[in-house]
Amino acid sequence: MKTFLSFVLMLGLFVSTGTAQLSDFAVKKSFEDRFKVIAGMMDSANALPQLDSAKLAIDQLQSDFVRHEAFLDKALYPSTFSERMASLRSLHVLTYDRIYLIQTQGIKLSEMESRLASLTSRLDSLTTQRDQLFGELQESKKSLNALREAVRRLSSNLTAKDKLIFALVDSIFQPYGSNLQQVADVHKEAISQKLEKANVVTRIYEIASDNVKFLEVTQLQGKDYASVIDQYQTFTNRWAGLREKIAAVGAVSQPLPAQAGKKQMGQKGAKTISQAEKPAGASETEHVDSVLTEWRTKLNGTFWASLAREFSNAGVSVAPFNDAPSFSASIRSYVASARSNNVDPAPFVETVWKEKIDKEWRDALSKESMLGKVEYAALDKQVSELAREGIDVKLILYIAAVIAIVILVWILLSRRKKRDTPEAQST
Amino acid sequence: MNRLPTSLFIVGILLLTASCSSVQLDRVNFGWPVESVVTVNNANVFEDVRYAVSAGVGKLALEEFQDSTALRGAQLRLLRNTEGYYFLTGPRFKSVYVFEPGESSLSLSTAIAVSETGLRNPALNQRPPYVELIDGDNVRILLTSSDKAEVKR
């Protein structure tokens, strides 16, 4: 409004100048002053009606000065009258787009704000539920069925939290489009504030920590691991995406001030990552990276240890392994050894490989982050060949036995024939 | 006989020198499209950024106001006409001063008396072949580099 009034004042001054004898300098100065006022109006505009006024002012400026165009072309060197007018009109279009975007984003933002509140509240209730489930898990260790049920519910709870936290993140970033480099600083600051208000990074840290704790307190079966690996992979990928976005808006990158005490798992809502739990000087994002590494280490450790137990429980002695290459080497070594020593492959092939590994562990082992489909297929082929070799030996023995029986019968029949012939001859 | 080549040489040199000094570019237009409004600083110097002209005005102040410091802080109007003369005036001036550029100097060519009481708010416009002086609503004078061409009131 103030700008608009100054514009009107400027117009009045020009009109008064226009009635007097014209100084060329005054014409040039008047043009430049009105130009600045209109540009300022557009710069400070925050509603479309203000831009309509600016549009009228631009038209008026052009109309007032077009008769001085030849003079202004020289006086405004290196610019020209038409270039200046074009720049004003271009600024008007850009400002219109900017205000339109802000207004439409404002509507989206208010929708997202309510979604954010709802998601945050659901996350908090899931956190409470998670604590109950961890308690149930401790109590139900005596009964296998109850334990399985507790693990299933806890796993679902963690998956739901994973999904919710990233839905929350999407809700924060969605109104600003995919290219954050083009987002204005003021909007970046708004995103940053929302991330901090919703405690996004702390919540992500908390969820990753819960998953580590989950792996520590539960003993998963082979068939459980495929979904756990998928969950880790999805979480890691989404965190990588979010990490880039956080860097783009410059949020949550500063080291936190020192805090005493440990995080209370049972308390409602997310807490800031405590100093006791994070390395000195690390930012929250770096701390999430570190807990993800811990998650990965724990997942790998429990996975290969559980797999090794399948062999030892069946009394099959394979070389120790703790990762994909050593597992492959161990299986290949066992197969080669069984083949060369003519060991009965049945316990290994039938009891462990077919009944356990292929039925319960195949999905998890086939994940590219574990063994991979190609390597699993290669191992499976080797084990199957070992089984066929076992079948072939039996077949040979069977055929040999049949041949022996046939020969025996033939010998007996030939002796009987010899005995019968002299009697016939005598009669 | 011996003097002939020497004479021819001298004549040749003279002709060559004469032809060099006669090279002149014509249709030169020195005119500025719009006057510059310059402010005299505490050192009694004005500077025009656009045309990269600066000059001390102590002697001009002495001439116009009998006080070499009278122009400190004053706004002067400076315009170069198509012929290359600088026209200079300002508020309270009774004359428009026309200067001819020289080596690191502006030499007064003419001081054209335009007001008995002094100008109030003068402005100079380029109106080839003239420079127009206006002052308020009533004074409009067309100037050449040597005198007033026309006065309109």
Side-chain angles (χ1 to χ4, degrees):
Chain A
M1 194 62 194
K2 195 177 173 184
T3 320
F4 186 73
L5 283 174
S6 58
F7 166 72
V8 172
L9 188 66
M10 196 60 65
L11 187 67
L13 280 174
F14 173 76
V15 170
S16 67
T17 312
T19 54
Q21 295 188 80
L22 276 182
S23 150
D24 290 348
F25 180 80
V27 171
K28 177 180 175 245
K29 193 167 184 308
S30 172
F31 176 81
E32 287 179 330
D33 289 345
R34 281 176 63 180
F35 183 95
K36 278 183 195 166
V37 169
I38 296 170
M41 272 173 78
M42 288 192 283
D43 200 39
S44 60
N46 50 23
L48 295 178
Q50 285 173 291
L51 282 184
D52 294 338
S53 305
K55 175 79 168 49
L56 287 174
I58 294 169
D59 292 342
Q60 189 62 45
L61 183 71
Q62 179 137 23
S63 145
D64 287 345
F65 286 90
V66 72
R67 61 201 164 108
H68 301 291
E69 185 170 359
F71 161 71
L72 285 172
D73 282 350
K74 292 177 188 171
L76 297 172
Y77 180 85
S79 185
T80 62
F81 172 71
S82 56
E83 280 174 3
R84 288 287 186 99
M85 293 310 301
S87 74
L88 264 189
R89 291 189 190 282
S90 168
L91 181 64
H92 179 264
V93 171
L94 288 174
T95 312
Y96 191 94
D97 288 347
R98 175 174 63 84
I99 291 175
Y100 179 78
L101 191 67
I102 288 170
Q103 287 191 346
T104 49
Q105 275 184 351
I107 295 163
K108 277 188 197 168
L109 277 174
S110 62
E111 284 170 5
M112 289 302 164
E113 291 282 358
S114 57
R115 192 169 168 222
L116 266 181
S118 151
L119 288 173
T120 310
S121 146
R122 282 171 64 192
L123 264 174
D124 290 340
S125 69
L126 278 174
T127 303
T128 313
Q129 193 190 3
R130 173 211 62 191
D131 294 336
Q132 287 170 356
L133 286 169
F134 270 119
E136 280 179 31
L137 192 68
Q138 295 296 328
E139 289 169 9
S140 63
K141 276 192 172 172
K142 293 170 194 168
S143 155
L144 189 62
N145 284 340
L147 181 68
R148 292 294 307 157
E149 179 57 20
V151 167
R152 191 194 60 74
R153 285 169 61 201
L154 187 56
S155 178
S156 307
N157 173 281
L158 293 177
T159 309
K161 281 188 85 176
D162 284 5
K163 285 181 182 166
L164 268 183
I165 187 67
F166 287 108
L168 186 94
V169 168
D170 288 343
S171 302
I172 291 172
F173 282 97
Q174 198 180 338
Y176 302 96
S178 57
N179 191 352
L180 285 171
Q181 302 300 330
Q182 291 180 350
V183 172
D185 285 348
V186 64
H187 292 148
K188 283 182 182 172
E189 201 178 320
I191 294 171
S192 179
Q193 281 172 358
K194 282 191 175 65
L195 286 171
E196 286 177 26
K197 190 182 167 192
N199 264 332
V200 166
V201 180
T202 306
R203 284 179 192 280
I204 287 172
Y205 167 83
E206 196 182 77
I207 291 167
S209 295
D210 286 350
N211 280 285
V212 174
K213 192 181 172 191
F214 175 71
L215 289 172
E216 280 170 358
V217 299
T218 54
Q219 193 171 330
L220 297 174
Q221 294 182 351
K223 58 191 170 193
D224 298 328
Y225 275 103
S227 61
V228 172
I229 294 165
D230 280 343
Q231 191 184 352
Y232 169 78
Q233 210 59 52
T234 310
F235 194 95
T236 309
N237 292 341
R238 299 211 64 178
W239 166 246
L242 175 61
R243 202 181 198 290
E244 275 179 26
K245 286 178 177 176
I246 287 174
V249 299
V252 210
S253 57
Q254 297 303 311
L256 296 169
Q259 289 176 3
K262 284 200 166 190
K263 187 177 69 172
Q264 295 168 5
M265 296 296 286
Q267 204 167 333
K268 193 179 177 183
K271 306 293 170 295
T272 311
I273 303 166
S274 73
Q275 189 67 22
E277 290 176 309
K278 73 185 191 65
S283 71
E284 286 193 286
T285 52
E286 285 166 355
H287 195 45
V288 173
D289 289 342
S290 118
V291 82
L292 283 179
T293 308
E294 194 187 343
W295 184 357
R296 172 79 206 178
T297 309
K298 188 69 72 183
L299 178 59
N300 276 342
T302 56
F303 179 82
W304 296 111
S306 302
L307 186 59
R309 268 198 299 278
E310 298 287 8
F311 290 90
S312 59
N313 289 346
V316 175
S317 175
V318 293
F321 55 84
N322 56 10
D323 56 11
S326 60
F327 174 72
S328 284
S330 177
I331 298 300
R332 285 175 200 279
S333 161
Y334 184 87
V335 170
S337 165
R339 194 173 285 159
S340 61
N341 297 331
N342 283 329
V343 175
D344 178 14
F348 172 72
V349 175
E350 300 297 329
T351 315
V352 182
W353 194 267
K354 285 188 178 172
E355 286 300 313
K356 289 287 179 182
I357 309 297
D358 205 41
K359 275 187 182 170
E360 296 185 4
W361 290 84
R362 187 180 54 197
D363 286 348
L365 280 169
S366 298
K367 302 281 177 199
E368 291 308 314
S369 59
M370 291 300 180
L371 200 59
K373 280 181 184 166
V374 175
E375 183 59 13
Y376 182 82
L379 288 182
D380 192 47
K381 192 182 171 192
Q382 281 206 355
V383 174
S384 303
E385 281 171 359
L386 181 66
R388 271 202 293 279
E389 280 169 20
I391 290 165
D392 289 345
V393 171
K394 280 182 184 173
L395 190 67
I396 289 163
L397 286 172
Y398 175 74
I399 292 165
V402 169
I403 290 169
I405 291 165
V406 168
I407 291 169
L408 194 66
V409 170
W410 182 74
I411 290 168
L412 287 172
L413 286 173
S414 357
R415 280 185 182 176
R416 186 178 283 183
K417 268 186 183 175
K418 279 178 185 174
R419 270 204 306 268
D420 291 348
T421 310
E423 286 173 9
Q425 281 171 350
S426 63
T427 51
Chain B
M1 256 325 255
N2 287 339
R3 286 181 183 172
L4 186 62
T6 310
S7 305
L8 284 172
F9 177 75
I10 291 167
V11 168
I13 291 293
L14 286 173
L15 283 171
L16 193 66
T17 310
S19 65
C20 283
S21 65
S22 70
V23 173
Q24 216 171 30
L25 304 182
D26 57 0
R27 287 165 288 171
V28 176
N29 182 353
F30 291 101
W32 296 352
V34 64
E35 68 181 336
S36 285
V37 179
V38 293
T39 304
V40 178
N41 63 21
N42 286 337
N44 238 4
V45 172
F46 72 76
E47 184 176 5
D48 174 58
V49 178
R50 178 172 173 181
Y51 297 106
V53 178
S54 62
V57 292
K59 289 179 182 173
L60 177 68
L62 198 62
E63 176 73 19
E64 181 70 23
F65 302 107
Q66 290 77 50
D67 174 5
S68 64
T69 62
L71 286 175
R72 281 183 187 167
Q75 278 198 330
L76 303 180
R77 305 278 175 155
L78 180 69
L79 180 67
R80 195 174 194 191
N81 77 349
T82 53
E83 297 164 278
Y85 290 95
Y86 288 89
F87 287 67
L88 187 65
T89 191
R92 300 190 293 122
F93 274 56
K94 292 176 181 169
S95 304
V96 172
Y97 290 84
V98 183
F99 292 97
E100 197 174 351
E103 283 185 18
S104 300
S105 65
L106 288 172
S107 309
L108 184 64
S109 172
T110 324
I112 305 169
V114 289
S115 169
E116 288 178 6
T117 55
L119 298 166
R120 286 181 297 167
N121 187 23
L124 298 169
N125 294 331
Q126 190 74 260
R127 299 286 182 262
Y130 306 107
V131 166
E132 179 186 59
L133 169 73
I134 56 174
D135 186 27
D137 291 345
N138 301 321
V139 177
R140 179 170 173 260
I141 305 170
L142 293 177
L143 306 167
T144 67
S145 56
S146 55
D147 207 351
K148 288 181 270 193
E150 190 181 346
V151 178
K152 293 182 176 177
R153 291 186 186 273

